[in-house]
Amino acid sequence: MTATTETTTTVAARAPWSAVIPRGGLLTITDLHGNQAVDFLVYDAADTAVRYSAPDTLQAQGNIFLATGSVLMSNEHTPLMTVTADGCGGHDTIAGACSKESNTLRYGHHTWSQHACADNFLAEGARWGLGKRDMVSNVNWYMNVPVEDDGTLGIVDGRSAAGLAVTLRAERDVLVLVSNCPQINNPCNGFDPTPVRMTVTLPGADR
């Protein structure tokens, strides 16, 4: 008989989170209230120089959006995690993380003091010995970023709804960093950031 151990954490609005997910383990990200973007980075837990690569992921799947079956690839073109279930679809891989600098450029200097995903990634990454050089382009779960015919990007209301979830399987031991996006200047969070739930399911066997 196979046994599983499951842990659940509610990540507050605007807050970071991190965990090591062992090979074969599952991470489920649940949008509790709907229309909440979740910024996401993943590294090889044994060698964080091997980390998520947006170009490798896009090249491997031939699509800029993530959904069930998408494989998150590393900068060595090896699989890190696979999306095994998805109630939403169309997750973003190209818009990146909000920062004080990008907020100022897009929305005005008065936004400089606002908290941003880049701050969350740096603070949470520091717990694992990661710094600015380790911050790379990220996945934005639930964020809706349509690409127009002329190549311009839009940030519009999210595709998600309360209770929808995306589940990823670790293809090796991985370190996951999350920023529950604090952005209030565009509709990716409905202008009102809300909590999300992280559920880690560890596979195991009865002895």
Side-chain angles (χ1 to χ4, degrees), residues 21 23 34 57 63 77 80 89 94 97-98 102 106 112 123 142 147-148 171-173:
I21 315 296
R23 181 177 180 179
T57 299
N63 195 319
H77 208 74
L80 294 169
I94 57 177
C98 59
S102 65
R106 291 171 176 167
W112 173 258
Y142 304 114
V147 180
E148 306 299 338
E171 304 300 347
R172 64 180 77 184
D173 294 354

Side-chain angles (χ1 to χ4, degrees), residues 106-190:
R106 291 171 176 167
Y107 310 114
H109 189 71
H110 68 282
T111 66
W112 173 258
S113 62
Q114 293 176 1
H115 196 56
C117 285
D119 303 314
N120 277 341
F121 280 143
L122 287 171
E124 197 67 15
R127 298 180 57 227
W128 304 91
L130 301 176
K132 284 186 177 182
R133 290 173 183 248
D134 301 299
M135 299 298 109
V136 295
S137 296
N138 60 285
V139 175
N140 294 306
W141 301 113
Y142 304 114
M143 189 167 167
N144 189 7
V145 184
V147 180
E148 306 299 338
D149 291 340
D150 63 359
T152 58
L153 306 180
I155 299 177
V156 298
D157 284 340
R159 301 175 184 271
S160 184
L164 293 187
V166 57
T167 298
L168 301 105
R169 180 183 65 238
E171 304 300 347
R172 64 180 77 184
D173 294 354
V174 295
L175 167 64
V176 168
L177 301 184
V178 161
S179 170
N180 191 20
C181 185
Q183 183 60 256
I184 58 173
N185 301 291
N186 70 51
C188 72
N189 297 325

Side-chain angles (χ1 to χ4, degrees), residues 44-113:
D44 185 321
D47 180 6
T48 56
V50 180
R51 68 278 303 267
Y52 172 71
S53 168
D56 285 86
T57 299
L58 302 189
Q59 188 276 330
Q61 71 167 1
N63 195 319
I64 64 172
F65 301 111
L66 301 178
T68 303
S70 295
V71 179
L72 305 187
M73 303 293 286
S74 77
N75 53 334
E76 294 187 346
H77 208 74
T78 53
L80 294 169
M81 303 188 85
T82 300
V83 181
T84 60
D86 178 23
C88 182
H91 305 275
D92 170 63
T93 60
I94 57 177
C98 59
S99 66
K100 292 181 177 181
E101 292 79 8
S102 65
N103 281 343
T104 298
L105 181 64
R106 291 171 176 167
Y107 310 114
H109 189 71
H110 68 282
T111 66
W112 173 258
S113 62

